[in-house]
Amino acid sequence: MNLTTTYMGLTLRTPLVPSASPLSEEIDNIKRMEAAGAAAVVMHSLFEEQLRLERYELHHHLTYGTESFAESLTYFPEPALFHVGPEEYLEHIQRAKASVDIPIIASLNGSTVGGWTDYARQIEQAGADALELNIYYVPTDMELTGEGVEQTYLDILKAVKSVVTIPVAVKLSPYFSNMAHMAKRLDAAGANALVLFNRFYQPDINLETLEVEPNVLLSTPHSMRLPLRWIAILYGHLQTDLAATSGIHKATDALKMLMAGAQVTMLCSVLLRHGISQIRVIEEEMQAWMEEHEYSSVRQLQGSMSQKNCPDPSAFERAQYTRALQSYRPV
Amino acid sequence: MMSTGILQQRIFATLDGDEAVASVTYRLNEVIALYPITPSTPIGEWADAWAAEGKPNLWGTVPSVVEMQSEGGVAGVMHGALQTGSLATTFTASQGLLLMIPNMYKIAGELTPTVFHVAARSVATQALSIFGDHSDVMATRATGFALLCSASVQEAQDFALIAQVVTLESRIPFLHFFDGFRTSHEIAKIERLSDDDLRAMIDPQRILEHRARALSPDHPVLRGTSQNPDVFFQARETVNPFYAACPEITQRAMDQFGQLTGRHYRLFEYYGAPDAERVIVLMGSGCEAVQETVDFLNQRGKKVGLIKVRLYRPFDRERFVAALPETTKAIAILDRTKEPGSIGEPLYLDCAMAIYETPLERENYKASRTFPPLLRGDQGGIVGGRYGLSSKEFTPAMIKGVFDNLAQEYPKNHFTIGINDDVSHTSLPYDPEFSTEADHVVRCVFYGLGSDGTVGANKNSIKIIGEQTNNYAQGYFVYDSKKSGSVTISHLRFGPEPIHSTYLVSRANFVGCHQSVFLERFDMLQPLVEGGTFLLDTAYGPDEIWNHLPQTMQEQLVSKHLKFYVIDAHKVARESGMGGRINTVMQVCFFALAGILPRDGAISEIKQSIQKTYGKKGDEIVQMNLNAVDQTLERLFAVEIPERTVETRNFASLHAPVSDHAPAFVRDVLGKMISGQGDTLPVSALPVDGTFPTGTAQWEKRNIAQEIPVWDPDVCIQCGKCVMVCPHSVIRGKVYEPGVLEGAPATFKSAEAHDHDWQGLKFTIQVAAEDCTGCGICVDVCPAKNKSIPSLKAINMQAQAPLREPERENWDFFLSVPNPDRRDLNTTLIRQQQMQEPLFEFSGACAGCGETPYIKLASQLFGDRMVVANATGCSSIYGGSLPTTPWTKNAEGRGPAWSNSLFEDNAEFGLGFRLSIDKQKEFAVELLKKLSGALGDDLVQAIVSAEQKDEADIYEQRERVAVLKQRLQTLDSEEAKQLLSLADLLVKKSVWIIGGDGWAYDIGFGGLDHVLSSGRNVNVLVLDTEVYSNTGGQMSKATPRAAVAKFAAGGKPAPKKDLGLMAMTYGNVYVASVAMGARDEHTLKVFLEAEAYEGPSLIIAYSHCIAHGINMATAMQNQKAAVNSGQWLLYRFHPGRAERGENPLQLDSRSPKIPLEKYLYLENRFKMLTKSSPAVAKQLLKEAQQDVADHWHLYEYLAARGVQVPTEGGQPE
């Protein structure tokens, strides 16, 4: 059974890749992922905005209240050097590289052009095999056009591509007027892969405290439907690779994604819920299913159920929606 | 030893005296022990910073820097380190130096080479003072230490080296001192000493000799014996040759130093006309101002001079006399200290005696020289006087006054200069208009707020000018005594010659006003010279500003032909992302206008300096400042000055600093200090024994808040939390009869009282708008939200200015509303208890202070019968710094009586209160019983047996005592008079011992421990900020593991000391740990229980602090997080429970429910370690988390532990 796949030019033993999550913050976990059969690891994200915020905070707190009172002109010792950049993240990449043999894909999260290129360059120097740009952007400015939003994505990608030679993936949200057109533009701008999709954590209202609170929900199996649909639609039309993420909990989920046209299937919630060893379980089940159904390789099934290749292409479009309604009968 | 002469390239640097000393002494020592004390603290901080960086000393090894628990401890370490052969040093001042005295005798008695560096500071007498004079140094005269005095930043650096050289050779330990603040904190451009300079001076052989004398089991000796009458005396005299040799060794070292550097010093250095007739003798920074004055006078044909005393001990009589010009007719010897009851101050006595003794040995002299006229028996020409105590200004005008005195036929002796002594008439007159400010010196004064970065900008400008031009530079900074909204005044000078003006700028050619509110407060154009430049930060543009200036200012601008520029610096700073910090903006304006450097060059220097200063904090911070630079020049405008003034709105400008309704003393004395005119107060205006009235902060309306809280009665749930947490007691609540509202101002707000006990009453929350610091902590704790707009609460911040007038009126009305009867309030419920009047209000503590809410709570509960012993520290500064005190009294005139003794002895001080009060009460009861017949048995019985457990009991006892006093007045016996004077002590008194963690955990721990063990009824309140807050963030034993603090720059590796657990081991001490922000009801309960407990009580109160690097507005959330993470436990240990057979310890917080990291990284003190030493931060976090677990399990075990109850037979069951 050949489970091999390629992703952004990297040859992977299987399509199963843990996506960016807090799990990769520990080197031990990365080793366990490799041991459990992960084909590559997307590292937890380096948050550009958080670094920036921390720098402002550090500066503020080191100066706040100083030079006001004769006895306490300062409140903190000031070391000669601060590690206010991504040093820790870069060291982590280096350590991860040294600890495992599978490819390490770094992840960079932010929303502005500033900072991306510097960090991307440093991440490449630290030894990452590829870079995933997680463009986490919720536009709220009413004056900003859809075109403007799309341009930001393209600018970031182009800026990063211009400074690194490692492959670059873009993890994006589905919230574009025309997802397919956006994918095409990113493809044209040189994205080596599109990771579909980013899940925005939606805030919640706490009725007791009357506060809006961040609310992290792990994905459920039905979250995979949206990426499944778009991967199926995009497959075969672009140069860029497609990676599936969101809602892949079982071997059958992964198989569906691969059939839709994904090069890799990314795992997150399932690992957080059931542990890293679940990678091995999914791989074994995947293999069992393929053996049972007489598939000899992943390549064989990749894209087989894409819009292009599936028996009923309209099922991925609006027709499918109307039919779904028609087929629904209350009991 | 080699000398390359003065031809080598010298390196200049711009730094302050403390850093200059640190840079030398750090390189010359192996062991550095210290304890923070102003103004010497920065020396140790530099040493610590360098050691943390791994910077080696002259011989390539990194000195060990250790912070001790007190200066007494430091002295012990010094003695030990020196005895075992290390090169060791310390830095201290004032009381700290006094604590070292016992060991100084030993160190000198054993002829041990060392140098102690002292930033000389007043010793506390009628008051504490952090400022400079020689009273501390003078107290060490008898120890046997040599006393070497430097007069400037340059000399402080140079003498740090010379002292080290001489001590090693002479074996006499040296105390090198310089004036606190004036030299320690003055920034000046000096020539630095290189490592080569140090090597050229230090003889390595002397170090080997020192080491050879060390205690070692390899060549054991016995030192520190006990000697008997037979030999002690002789042994004491053995050292004479060493002292005799010391002056010559010192002069030799100075000569060698002169050859090396070109800077020549003499033990007694004469400066002035060779044929001077009048000579001033003094030591310290005053020498510089005298030198400047001497030059000025001699250039105008006078014949004056001065002798700078460098080596005061051992006093070289011959060299002193030889230094006097033969033409000298009169000498004034000036002391910067006071020795009450003496014939004269020490330097005067020494110099006079030197002259007196000289004729006795005239034969020795005859051959070499003739004698000045005054030495031929005309002793009337030698006078002594005092100047400059506690950094009192010492100006050329005063110096001329001293010279003028010497010109008199009968000069005044034992005079003072610089004050108006209308009591003992010691003061000399002088002409304050006399000035020696030189034209070639650029002189600038800047008015700023502590929070706006003005001082930092000025320090930076001095560095740029000092290091990038050939100019010499000087900066001195004056801060006020408040920690919130404090005003800073910077005095800068620049010029082509070394600057000797050791006094504030009196005639400025540049004045910068960095806050337009100051237009109302300071007459800042007064010091500007004709044609000078005035720079104002204002929101008004160049065309509008004229109509918004006080008229007096317009007049000065016109009549002095001043140049006037405006910038909206706050706007530029805001838009550049710098918030309220206008430092960079104003610095750019200064360089653009002052013309010291070409404009483009200056801007480029500023940019480079920004890169250098902020580079390590990240590009954003650099960019933010660079943006500000670029935007500034475009928005700096010259104002065309009209030929005439216009009438402008009636500025509160230079208005009376306090209300006309204030008591006379507040108006006439404290008011002068508030308005910055304290220097003009005569001696007679001040109390003779340091006693001041309380209740004075209410008169100092500071109006420092941009925004103040505004109450919304419709949303309010009347919980009292905002009142409780307000650090400045500006939020008050009252319940009252509805009828009271008649005559209330139109905007006065009220609501129906919600509490069931208050049916039919009205309720008001009122804010003292003019006293508020705008910290916003009240808004953060308010639990009530506006249902339609939950971003609003029952209390919300709004701009202060429009509210100032109406709220002033409302506040006055509110004060007239009667306080609720204390007997009717249920003090166990915050919402009722908080209606108690606070007797601690409007302190100058930092905005959002975490300590003051606890103090205020105690004052509400017990203030009318409270006596407070307050350790030195933040609480003594905001509690007792002139001009005003927040401690106040109620309508009956009762309130906390407060005093500060020392830092180290506060527990003992408070125990003294208790012993004294108890003894006097006991005596009163004895007298009562004796006089029972005459006074009425019933009354006496009622007084004696009164339990006084609650407010009602206390009230009744007071009534009884009032009756008692009436009756006593009708009796005419000695005993009745005695009892009358003691009668008030029959009402229960509450003794409180208050201080910070530095006191309780470190310097005062020994005493605290003893007082707790005494079993006496004292209440100890430890305001635990876990760091030395007042002296600027040094580690204490309360500092938790993983926190960054000074002397723990790499994160404190050891866990926090568990003071509570230690106290519990006595069994009979009430111990509680509280955090108001986590559980305010718990805090209240603890205060009530602690006070009610008839034995020692210890309350350890988590106090958030500006030194934690937190958002002060939401700091109560940090307290909550500390408790939720288990870092801070809430508990009560009540010995009374043990007596009832219960476990005395109750854990009042739950098991940790958030990871420690969530709490720690809210605070810069922990978070910054992740930026400075990420790997260490990770490790320490792990260890700290383990501490939490261990601590929790230990307390859980202790609280669950079965208690064995003694049976009647005395055996446990």
Side-chain angles (χ1 to χ4, degrees), chain B residues 293-370:
Chain B
T293 312
V294 162
D295 280 340
F296 186 93
L297 294 175
N298 286 343
Q299 280 157 18
R300 283 154 186 77
K302 311 291 183 201
K303 291 177 180 172
V304 295
L306 83 141
I307 288 182
K308 302 177 186 178
V309 179
R310 312 313 203 161
L311 185 68
Y312 174 49
R313 285 282 187 278
F315 196 100
D316 187 330
R317 193 196 65 209
E318 293 179 14
R319 277 194 168 84
F320 168 67
V321 173
L324 283 167
E326 297 181 2
T327 47
T328 308
K329 287 183 178 157
I331 313 176
I333 299 139
L334 301 185
D335 271 280
R336 199 161 202 159
T337 187
K338 177 169 176 65
E339 198 170 305
S342 66
I343 294 179
E345 271 59 36
L347 183 62
Y348 163 73
L349 291 184
D350 287 323
C351 293
M353 187 53 70
I355 292 164
Y356 169 76
E357 282 193 357
T358 300
L360 300 180
E361 298 173 6
R362 190 172 289 211
E363 293 307 315
N364 301 340
Y365 279 87
K366 264 183 182 162
S368 60
R369 59 172 288 172
T370 53

Side-chain angles (χ1 to χ4, degrees), chain A residues 5 11-18 33 37-41 102-103 279:
Chain A
T5 185
T11 302
L12 305 183
R13 194 184 61 80
T14 79
L16 299 177
V17 174
M33 286 171 183
V41 178
I102 52 176
I279 303 172

